[in-house]
Amino acid sequence: MTAAAPSSTDVLIVGAGIAGASLAAALAPYRRVTMIEAEDMPGRHATGRSAAFWHESYGGAGVQPLSAASFALLDNPPAAFSDRGFLLPRTALTLGRQDEVAAVDAFVAEFSGQGVDVTRFTGAGVAAKIPGLRPAWTEGAYEPACRDIDVGALHAAYLRAAKRAGASLATRAPLRSARRTGAGWEVRTATGTIAAAAIVNAAGAWADEVAALCGVAPIGIQPLRRTVLQVRLGVAVPADLPLVVHVGGDFYFKGESEGRVWLSPHDETPMAACDAVPDELDVALAIDRLQSVVDWPVAAVERKWAGLRSFAPDRMPVFGADVGEPGFIWCAGQGGVGIQTAPAISALLAAQLGAPAPGGAIGAVDPVPFAPTRFG
């Protein structure tokens, strides 16, 4: 699919990670679509570094409708899109200490009120889900529907679908500048100039930078570094351990294979867009927080990596036409939920750009709360 970009297109998508690729797949049957990617391969940054899971409550109540509506495609996609689903078995447990009863109760009340399958657990019920749990951790909210996502397979399926529908992809083609013309945009990239009727900004951590290069006011997309480790333990822990998320946001961890877990200190360090690398203090913090929850000795850190999760000022995804420049379309600020909401966001945004309106659960989601117009 990688080739030189055509000289003209209807919709130029800047970025070919999960946001850009899913939109291209949804839109290319109806419009001429070109993706430009700064790296030598798509998905190198946030998409390729995700410890992805479909966790309906993750990201908050405002994001939950997008996650819920995306489940069907992730679980049972159309045969023309993929011959298998992208979800793997997992459950989730939102965990709290004895002094966090109110926070866990509030979590259950909020999400059960939105139709999420969540059950309140206490004491022995919590301990039964996590072997070696320390006594102070007595409060839990269990979500049996949580799943892991095969991110690589999902991203590849979107890229294949976009290609089949006629979309083109140019790699090593960062956007250098863009200027408005009477017919649309004249876009200069590292590999040439493209005329486009509309630009979609799906550049992740670089979203505000892309806006500035196009003469569009940034909206405050802030990249935040997130650190993840894979550790080998000195005790047997089952691979099907739930995704365990602290109700206060201090950590999450999940089983990876027998005796191994992925864990994160849930860090959110503000930084400029870059090729993120883990900080050793965050690695140490992740291990310290894990061992404050469970009595598992850590035998070795086998892998460590970092990625940038990018947030709008209100921590909600942003998709739709810019307030001052309707030919400039935002698809950014997905934070940590870009993978699990991609089916809904791409279908809803594609409908704004010329594709048919989606039906079913996705069609029932109101896109207005996610529009850039909320920033005035």
Side-chain angles (χ1 to χ4, degrees), residues 200-223:
V200 175
N201 182 2
W206 286 264
D208 270 2
E209 293 182 21
V210 165
L213 290 170
C214 296
V216 173
I219 59 176
I221 301 295
Q222 174 63 62

Side-chain angles (χ1 to χ4, degrees), residues 68 72 106 122 128 161 185-186 208 210 231 252 264 276 282 301 328 343 354 360 366 372:
T122 59
W185 295 89
E186 182 181 274
D208 270 2
V210 165
V231 299
Y252 66 75
S264 172
D282 291 323
V301 176
F328 186 89
D366 181 6

